[in-house]
Amino acid sequence: GENVEQHPSTLSVQEGDSAVIKCTYSDSASNYFPWYKQELGKGPQLIIDIRSNVGEKKDQRIAVTLNKTAKHFSLHITETQPEDSAVYFCAASIPEYGNKLVFGAGTILRVKS
Amino acid sequence: EAQVTQNPRYLITVTGKKLTVTCSQNMNHEYMSWYRQDPGLGLRQIYYSMNVEVTDKGDVPEGYKVSRKEKRNFPLILESPSPNQTSLYFCASILRVKGAEQYFGPGTRLTVT
């Protein structure tokens, strides 16, 4: 089945710097790759997603890139702010199981002011 | 407001005492799912449901049961909880469209002593 690996497990950056989180997946049939942000005491919330027919997608300070050949995708956060501090999860979708998502282990992002 | 609700939010119980965690969504979503979140493991799917009366096992179904008698509700049942089921549980729902956004509930922190 699908396996998603996520790195790094923790990331500390200075406010204003960029942060990059990387994920690799194993099932070449996966075609949907969302990123979730989880704040303390809350459920994961979708922040951006990308589908396999697109190589890059941006939404203000957040961008996601996808390399289907290498089977990896990355989250880029520019001009980080303290409120970006949270746990971030990547996921991959297995089409044959409808909307099943397989998640990476998560990255704790700390933005130091 | 579109939302997924879970109850209770926190629960401490003893080994073997049956419990139910309720999940309800108000978005008329067909697909609902339960995940457990453990440190270093991300979110792992326990059970999912494609629609009313249609449920299936996820990646870690042992020790859990679910039912889907109505579209909006998807309770998680632990018939005989054990300490290894101590975890943070999330319910999620999604429109039955491939690659659609999953909405997560706020989570239920369960401790089994």
Side-chain angles (χ1 to χ4, degrees), chain A residues 31-32 36 38 41-46 49 51 87 89 93 95-106, chain B residues 9 31 35 37 40-43 45 48 50 58-59 88 90 94-102 104-106:
Chain A
N31 65 2
Y32 175 64
Y36 286 85
Q38 186 180 18
K42 296 183 179 179
Q45 187 170 15
L46 181 72
D49 56 15
R51 300 171 197 274
V87 181
F89 292 98
S93 173
E96 63 268 26
Y97 288 121
N99 297 296
K100 175 177 179 175
L101 290 174
V102 177
F103 285 85
Chain B
R9 294 290 314 277
Y31 184 100
Y35 295 87
Q37 183 180 358
L41 297 176
L43 289 92
Q45 191 180 55
Y48 65 96
M50 293 283 201
D59 296 318
L88 180 58
F90 289 101
I94 189 171
L95 273 173
R96 197 174 176 182
V97 173
K98 288 179 184 177
E101 177 179 353
Q102 287 212 17
F104 282 84

Side-chain angles (χ1 to χ4, degrees), chain B residues 45-96:
Chain B
Q45 191 180 55
I46 302 170
Y47 267 93
Y48 65 96
S49 169
M50 293 283 201
N51 215 323
V52 175
E53 302 292 1
V54 181
T55 63
D56 208 344
K57 296 177 181 178
D59 296 318
V60 288
E62 294 77 22
Y64 304 95
K65 285 175 59 177
V66 293
S67 70
R68 188 89 183 274
K69 293 184 171 59
E70 310 163 277
K71 201 171 189 179
R72 62 182 293 126
N73 295 323
F74 189 44
L76 179 70
I77 303 154
L78 284 72
E79 294 271 3
S80 182
S82 62
N84 64 12
Q85 293 178 298
T86 292
S87 187
L88 180 58
Y89 291 86
F90 289 101
C91 179
S93 75
I94 189 171
L95 273 173
R96 197 174 176 182

Side-chain angles (χ1 to χ4, degrees), chain A residues 45, chain B residues 1-5 24-27 72 103:
Chain A
Q45 187 170 15
Chain B
E1 179 192 353
Q3 61 180 355
V4 178
T5 57
S24 183
Q25 50 94 3
N26 63 359
M27 295 166 279
R72 62 182 293 126
Y103 290 83

